[in-house]
Amino acid sequence: YYETYGQNWERAAFIKARPVAGDFSSAVALLTELEAYVWRKYFDFASVADVHAMKRQINTYKGFREIAVRGHDVKLGLGGIREIEFFVQTQQLIAGGRQPELRDPRTLHALDRLVKRRWITSAVRDDLAECYRTLREIEHRVQMVVDAQTHLIPKDEDAFESLALFCGFDGANAFERHVRQTLLRVREHYAALFEDVDGLADTSGNLVFAGEADDPETLETLAQLGFKAPQTVLATVRGWHHGRNRATESERARESLTEFQPTLIEALARTGNPDEALIAFDRFLGDLPAGVQLFSLLRNNPNLLRLLADIMGSAPRLARVISRRARTFEAILDPGFFGHLPDSATLDGLIDTALEGAEDHAARLDAARVFAAEFQLLVGVRLLAGTIDAREAGEIYALLADALIERMLVSARQDLSIRHGTIASGQVAVLGMGKLGGREMTAASDVDLILIYDHAQDDTRSDGDRPLMASQYFARLTQRLVTALSSPTAEGALYEVDMRLRPSGNAGPVATRLSAFETYQARDAWTWEHMALLRSRAVAGDVELCCAAEAARLTVLTQPRDRSKLVRDVREMRDLMAAERASTSLWDLKLVRGGLVDIEFIVQFLQLAHGAAHPDCLARSTRDGIAALGAVGALEPDETDSLARHLVLLETLTQLIRLCAGENFEPSSAPEGLRQRIAEAIDSPNFSHVEARLQDAQADVLAMFEKKVSI
């Protein structure tokens, strides 16, 4: 319920939740499960508007529209206890996902924590704390007098005078002045917090899209909501109702669209650029084969509608993917969608279920592509929503690739055996390299592969109707595997496959026997090939050969090295990359000097330099490599922290940009919603601050490259 329909007021309520009786372990487990719902990992500024709207509803429902001390509700009224609590809880909801120290259920303690994180000043904290204590004391004494749970200051003169004396004042006038002053102080701080909140929650203007002529009041309402071209909005929505595209051709689809249309317009208005978001949603509708099912889904799930609007405003690439696979969006309604990511066994089960019933190799290819596209979409939505971070996304993308490569290898072997049989003693190990090997994949990553095989000396031919020599057999198997992964079918392609990292590159055979692989790595491989080998791991194949390939890897990487030659080779390789693929763009996060490649080169150089003495530093992922190098002293503590921090920044930006915009990102033409989401993802107040941080990080990384990759 909470992960699908939960509102911000319910999130605020759970800030104070704690077990008080019964099965405490179950209670703790429940609250732990709900952490991702209560404490979102990105800065959740939308909570401000929702909580403020809730307070206005309380004021309207209860009639608390002004401060009148006599008869005033010290809890729910203007300037009351609830406004202090909302002041605190709203900021906890905004930042508590990224800053766990703000997660304190006690209002006064939480005020202290907000000061420490510089969300408020100590003066504001002291003022609100004093007001809080004053109002709580009055609340307690009001309840003590009448022996009931009430929060109303009495209107009756005698009762009011009595309460004033009970609270320690000389009389009614002094008490009234003090209470009014307290309520006004609270009101002032509360109003300051919400002064930038737009009027979306108060929208009461016209949103009429029927008829041929533009409704003037609707144009005014759209302008108030933030649309810069209200007439274009009207024309676009009117086109939907005229059945301009397939999704709105049927009368039932148009009726369903009409029902959630106001909510849609308001959701689009909440994005960074409402006009761009509307254009993206219009494009989304144009790509849909039909609309009834999705419209019904959105009509009954406003949270899902807001998420879709957010994607339209900030992630054009993801929006295009969703338009092709709209039915996948329903999976987000699964209560477990925002829960724990699947482990390897769970993912295997999901894939096996998806491939069940596929009668032949071609059917398995299609089923695998459908599953992969839908699963990657769901991971992308979670990344955009902030419920997983860049590293978690990289790992789950790699876990998916591992499982699919294994399934495609099995299918390729079965398909090959139909005509050519098998080699009884033949074994295969598929090595994942690069981002796949390091479990650092993005939504747009290809897969770097090397296929290694082995067999008994006297078992050199397959046993089928058309037997093949072993080298030819495993070359055919490799070709079938690459085809299974990369060839487009009606359902698209799984991955682009790159095999240039195999021994001798494109000039070498597509499949390499283990002994040849060992000989090449020991005698003929370039330093850059050993750098690539640092990230290699077996992702599919026969266990025995996979273990043998790993042993060969460690033998090569733990050999002593000439540091002078290593420095020269690494620098020459980096200079060559800079010459061939020169980039000066701040946003070429991989290749620009000080970017991801320089971090990887620093780590890989140090791993090769220290691998003989410290094999534990030979971690596959760059992040783990930094930590391991710090542990063995190859990096100083401040260098370890700095390099890790810069890597997280670059990985986070890379994951989000690849997901939302694809390969080429140009800030000047990017949707404002994407620029805002990028800033939120790295806890920056605005996009200019993001670029300043990026410049500083790249300069720091480049300086560290010059320092560490040296004799």
Side-chain angles (χ1 to χ4, degrees), residues 198 200 207 209 219 221-234 236-237 240 262-283 308-314 670-674 676:
D198 60 35
L200 184 60
L207 283 176
F209 298 95
L219 291 174
T221 300
L222 291 170
Q224 290 174 351
L225 288 173
F227 289 94
K228 295 178 182 177
Q231 290 178 314
T232 302
V233 177
L234 268 172
T236 301
V237 177
W240 299 345
T263 308
L264 169 65
I265 296 300
E266 293 186 353
L268 294 172
R270 287 183 185 270
T271 63
N273 189 320
D275 298 85
E276 286 184 356
L278 178 75
I279 292 170
F281 189 82
D282 182 53
R283 189 183 305 118
L308 180 59
D310 195 26
I311 292 171
M312 296 300 147
S314 62
E672 181 59 29
L674 176 54
Q676 288 183 4

Side-chain angles (χ1 to χ4, degrees), residues 334-362:
D334 186 332
F337 176 70
F338 287 108
H340 298 298
L341 292 170
D343 57 19
S344 179
T346 303
L347 186 57
D348 283 342
L350 293 173
I351 295 176
D352 288 340
T353 299
L355 299 185
E356 221 171 39
E359 296 179 355
D360 54 27
H361 184 61

